[in-house]
Amino acid sequence: MRQHPIGDPFVPVVRCAADLLAVVPHTLGYWPADSLVLFAAGNGTAGACVRVDLPGGPPDEGLQEAFVAELADLVGHDALSDRIFVIVYTSPSAGDPPVPPAEVEGVLALVDEAARRAGRAVAARWIVAGDRWWPAEDPADVQDVTGIADSAVNAALVASGSSYAAAPRLAMDHEYGALPAGTARGTGRAAVRWARAGEGTWHHLDRLVPALSVWADVLAAVRDSPEDPVPTVLGHDDDLLGHLAASLVDPVLADLLLVVCATDDLEGVLAAAAMWAELCDDVDDPEAGADGVPIGPTLAPAPSGLPPVPLRPPAGHTGRTPGPGAAPVPAPDAGELVRLSRVLAGEWADAPHWALLDTLYRVLQVLGWLLEPTEHPESAEEAEPTAPTGPRPAGGAAEDPGQDGPDEARGRTVLAGVLVQLAQLNRFRARGSHTAHFVRRATALVPGHPSALRVLRLADARPVPLWARDRATAWHA
């Protein structure tokens, strides 16, 4: 019997334009819209696939220069590529042959300049508009997008289990599944109670230490579980899940959690936090933190009367252990603080601990689903956790955040905190579209959300983290 020339006959081999166009939505996870996609290649292999929004508004020389510079920077990071394929996804065009929007020609000219600066050749350019596509150089060669779906590469990818969503939000918000049908939980109410009780106190070091320890326990339980992560996360009670979600309202705790997962070093991050706290406590600036956002942790003891952190996750699914008590403040370490700042800035040269970061991503997605407002709120009985340890509304009655202005705002702020953390994780993964998506969702809930805007500033300062420039240390889906 003849051996197939390729070891695995289901390995997709791009042989024509439709094949390459079929790869794009599988790579991004969704079919792009109003987008510019650059697909790098070199030495017979596919490289980075970059998607950015099409520039909008009237032409502006300064904005165009910034757009070209960003594209050149993004393309240039893939050191193994020598050429790029360009695809513009735009609105449907009328006429035969079709006439794309006038701004498309301008976008293609900007891409040509960006490729020249990055030292890459433009191998081909296509325009996808609605249900038709064609080469940019030959608008008369119009083809139906069904040819992309029918391509051999798309068939091979589907056969291997790959899929993509018809819309970006569905792809990004449900990248790893969805809640089981009929799930009714009180996580949102628990999160509001924890947010109210812990307001302005999460950044106290004696509060950060046990809160991060509980996060580490939950992530370890999810990562080590042989089950699908969604039911494993849902196996924890609402009080604990609400505490996790509410803790991310604080940007200091959220940053520390990111670095704990990136380095898999809770002890080292706590030593960095102690050093950071010493420096912040020495700041003599009345304006520091005046906007309600802490500039860092503090060694000052947390206010008395705060509820203790919830119970730890089940130990081996058979029992429970008490939450951590007053943990000793770790010794400050300046070297650990330097590492923490480099990780957050995307300037760390080592490989992030992707397995732990991916576990955090999955937990955050489940929290986001649980916190999403529902059309049919739970009953008071369903809303209360079975073994509550957190704060209670006055009189012990179940409250409805939807009927309480301040608590409704707290609920939005908690969900925004989860979304910002997802944006940060996507920044670590060098997925600009996903980063922008979660930032947009967070700022839609809380306009001008400081932490969300900070993610954009960090992404603008370093669009591709240092570790993402090397395939050996970059994230792989």
Side-chain angles (χ1 to χ4, degrees), residues 277-324:
E278 281 193 0
L279 296 174
C280 290
D281 287 348
D282 286 341
V283 172
D284 185 18
D285 181 0
E287 296 301 318
D291 57 356
V293 179
I295 60 172
T298 178
L299 295 171
S304 60
L306 288 176
V309 297
L311 297 176
R312 290 176 185 264
H317 301 283
T318 58
R320 303 177 80 80
T321 56

Side-chain angles (χ1 to χ4, degrees), residues 227-281:
E227 304 172 8
D228 177 70
V230 174
T232 304
V233 176
L234 294 176
H236 302 305
D237 65 45
D238 289 323
D239 196 52
L240 174 60
L241 295 178
H243 178 274
L244 297 179
S247 70
L248 298 177
V249 167
D250 184 86
V252 175
L253 189 149
D255 280 354
L256 294 175
L257 177 61
L258 276 175
V259 182
V260 167
C261 293
T263 60
D264 193 20
D265 183 7
L266 175 61
E267 186 177 342
V269 172
L270 291 178
M275 185 77 246
W276 189 7
E278 281 193 0
L279 296 174
C280 290
D281 287 348

Side-chain angles (χ1 to χ4, degrees), residues 397-424:
E399 64 179 310
D400 182 354
Q403 302 299 319
D404 186 328
D407 276 355
E408 187 177 29
R410 288 188 183 97
R412 291 194 301 270
T413 301
V414 170
L415 177 54
V418 172
L419 297 172
V420 169
Q421 198 77 332
L422 284 166
Q424 287 277 46

